[in-house]
Amino acid sequence: MRPRPPVKGRGIFTGTGVIIAGLTATLVALLIPMWSYADRSGTGLSVLNAETVTTPYGPLSALDREFVTKVRLAGLWELPAGQQAQQKGTTQAVRTAGEHLVEGHTFLDARVRDVASKLGLALPNEPNDQQKQWLETLNQAQGVDYDRQFANILRLAHGRVFSVVAEVRASTQNSLVRALADDANTTVLDHIKILEATGYVDFGALAQEMAAGSTPPITHAPAPPGPTTDPGQVVPVTPSPYATTFTLPPAASSPPPVPVPS
């Protein structure tokens, strides 16, 4: 019996052809979103890969370096603000909040100095312009107005940095930065609670400020000149002129928790 001649046009419509076509379409559908995501600027992927350098403690990204800088900046203005609240606060709750700020940022400032020295990072020695403006506002405020300004300005600042800490903790591959983020998370959450306990936080205004997002987002900090190879490298940091009345504790353990007044 002679074999039947092939029927034109049937090849791709056979069972095997349909399966191959379906698999190909699925593969293309999976690859297109991945290609599009990797090509976007400002995504988590681009942040992780931006100017990452090698250190003995793991890769150090631009986001990591910016976070270290922000921890230092926070202490440069929040610590003296806490000292001031201990003197100018008209209620015990405000004065207690000031104590928490002093203890927490004294500890964090020692921690960030230690981390920066091991990673070979330079640190700022004075607050940024926004922080100086906040300090000036608190300097001019008196009485109950001071209590209200202190609670709301500090609560806003801590609320904004809280999300930054979470982002860094979730993405960092550097063990020193990860440990610093853990300490910062604990400290910031404590400060948020103690500021709210003053009774002066305006949550409606706070929500509007948070939604406005007027604080500049984290930017890509420039990479150090080269990979950090010496874990014992020491980077001198000049003490801040805005915080000169406290003594830094050793950066070995977290400060003991202070009970929040009921």
Side-chain angles (χ1 to χ4, degrees), residues 73-229:
L73 282 171
L76 289 175
W77 82 277
E78 291 179 25
L79 203 156
Q83 293 172 333
Q84 185 185 68
Q86 290 177 284
Q87 302 298 322
K88 294 179 65 173
T90 67
T91 69
Q92 184 56 49
V94 171
R95 293 190 291 271
T96 299
E99 293 174 8
H100 278 239
L101 289 178
V102 170
E103 292 183 4
H105 285 290
T106 297
F107 167 71
L108 275 186
D109 198 65
R111 288 282 291 111
V112 76
R113 287 168 180 254
D114 179 63
V115 169
S117 69
K118 290 176 179 177
L119 295 175
L121 300 177
L123 293 176
N125 293 314
E126 63 178 36
N128 60 33
D129 291 341
Q130 173 68 84
Q131 293 164 344
K132 290 178 181 178
Q133 181 180 338
W134 282 335
L135 284 173
E136 182 59 27
T137 298
L138 295 177
N139 287 336
Q140 295 180 7
Q142 300 294 330
V144 176
D145 179 56
Y146 173 83
D147 294 340
R148 186 175 293 105
Q149 294 276 17
F150 169 79
N152 284 281
I153 290 175
L154 271 298
R155 176 59 179 82
L156 173 63
H158 281 82
R160 285 174 174 166
V161 77
F162 200 41
S163 60
V164 173
V165 175
E167 180 182 3
V168 172
R169 182 59 180 82
S171 66
T172 185
Q173 302 177 64
N174 188 280
S175 60
L176 287 181
V177 174
R178 188 178 301 117
L180 181 62
D182 284 339
D183 288 333
N185 181 74
T186 300
T187 302
V188 172
L189 182 57
D190 171 72
H191 292 175
I192 286 176
K193 290 180 177 179
I194 200 67
L195 289 164
E196 292 173 350
T198 64
Y200 286 110
V201 174
D202 184 339
F203 288 96
L206 177 66
Q208 293 180 359
E209 290 284 353
M210 293 292 291
S214 57
T215 295
I218 281 186
T219 57
H220 291 172
T228 300
T229 57

Side-chain angles (χ1 to χ4, degrees), residues 238-249:
T238 304
S240 167
Y242 292 86
T244 58
T245 62
F246 66 94
T247 301
L248 292 176

Side-chain angles (χ1 to χ4, degrees), residues 7-53:
V7 179
K8 291 184 178 181
R10 287 189 56 188
I12 195 169
F13 295 106
T14 63
T16 302
V18 171
I19 292 174
I20 293 175
L23 291 175
T24 302
T26 301
L27 180 61
V28 172
L30 290 173
L31 289 177
I32 289 178
M34 292 174 62
W35 170 81
S36 299
Y37 180 82
D39 189 53
R40 295 177 194 166
S41 60
T43 61
L45 187 61
S46 67
V47 170
L48 288 176
N49 294 333
E51 301 183 29
T52 298
V53 296

